[in-house]
């Protein structure tokens, strides 16, 4: 019988759902997923939550997810600014397209790793 809280993957995994911060990590992944249609506004809310809860996550199995989410935000912001500033050179549009693909990859990879009970 499979556990409804964790999709089996054949790997040994942690029971993250028992950690009280699990819901915070899930919420931030959802906010990051909503960042593209909201022009990054939800990502700002997500990173604020990450920084507010970061001390509680220290030395927990969910700490790598917090780091992953924070890095995703800051690297995305950096390349978003570079892409926006260079749009008049045409290269900026390609940077923004690459950023969107990279950002979606990071959010999906992190969320799947959380579901599998492992670090991203």
């Amino acid at each position: 019988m499979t556990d409804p809280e964790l999709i089996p993957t054949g790997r040994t995994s942690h029971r993250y759902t028992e950690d009280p911060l699990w819901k915070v990590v899930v919420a931030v992944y959802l906010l990051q997923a909503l960042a593209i249609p909201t022009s990054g506004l939800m990502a700002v809310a997500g990173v604020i939550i990450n920084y507010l809860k970061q001390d509680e996550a220290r030395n927990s199995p969910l700490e790598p997810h917090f780091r992953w989410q924070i890095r995703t935000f800051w690297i995305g912001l950096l390349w978003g600014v570079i892409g926006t500033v260079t749009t008049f050179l045409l290269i900026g549009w390609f940077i923004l397209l690459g950023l969107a693909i990279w950002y979606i990859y990071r959010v999906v990879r992190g969320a799947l790793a959380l579901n599998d009970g492992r670090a991203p």
Side-chain angles (χ1 to χ4, degrees), residues 3-4 10 13-14 24 30-31 36 41 47 50 54 66 68 70-73 77 83 85 89 93 99 103 118:
D3 184 355
S13 59
H14 295 90
V24 173
L30 289 173
L31 289 170
I36 292 178
L41 186 61
V47 81
N50 278 136
Q54 190 175 26
F66 276 79
W68 180 265
I70 290 169
R71 287 180 185 155
T72 299
F73 172 81
L77 179 63
V85 168
L89 296 173
W93 294 106
L99 172 61
Y103 189 84
R118 57 182 174 80

Side-chain angles (χ1 to χ4, degrees), residues 106-117:
R106 294 274 297 194
V107 173
V108 169
R109 179 178 171 187
L112 289 175
L114 180 66
N115 185 61
D116 288 347

Side-chain angles (χ1 to χ4, degrees), residues 13-114:
S13 59
H14 295 90
R15 297 280 308 177
Y16 285 160
T17 55
E18 295 172 2
D19 192 319
L21 291 175
W22 179 80
K23 289 181 182 177
V24 173
V25 174
V26 170
V28 172
Y29 278 127
L30 289 173
L31 289 170
Q32 286 183 330
L34 292 172
I36 292 178
T38 62
S39 301
L41 186 61
M42 293 295 131
V44 173
V47 81
I48 290 170
I49 292 169
N50 278 136
Y51 279 117
L52 290 174
K53 295 291 192 172
Q54 190 175 26
D55 288 338
E56 294 176 39
R58 296 239 191 271
N59 301 320
S60 84
L62 291 170
E63 184 178 16
H65 287 278
F66 276 79
R67 283 195 313 268
W68 180 265
Q69 292 169 335
I70 290 169
R71 287 180 185 155
T72 299
F73 172 81
W74 287 112
I75 294 169
L77 179 63
L78 172 67
W79 283 104
V81 169
I82 291 170
T84 301
V85 168
T86 60
T87 53
F88 73 94
L89 296 173
L90 193 64
I91 185 100
W93 294 106
F94 292 105
I95 291 172
L96 292 174
L97 176 63
L99 172 61
I101 293 167
W102 173 84
Y103 189 84
I104 291 166
Y105 164 78
R106 294 274 297 194
V107 173
V108 169
R109 179 178 171 187
L112 289 175
L114 180 66

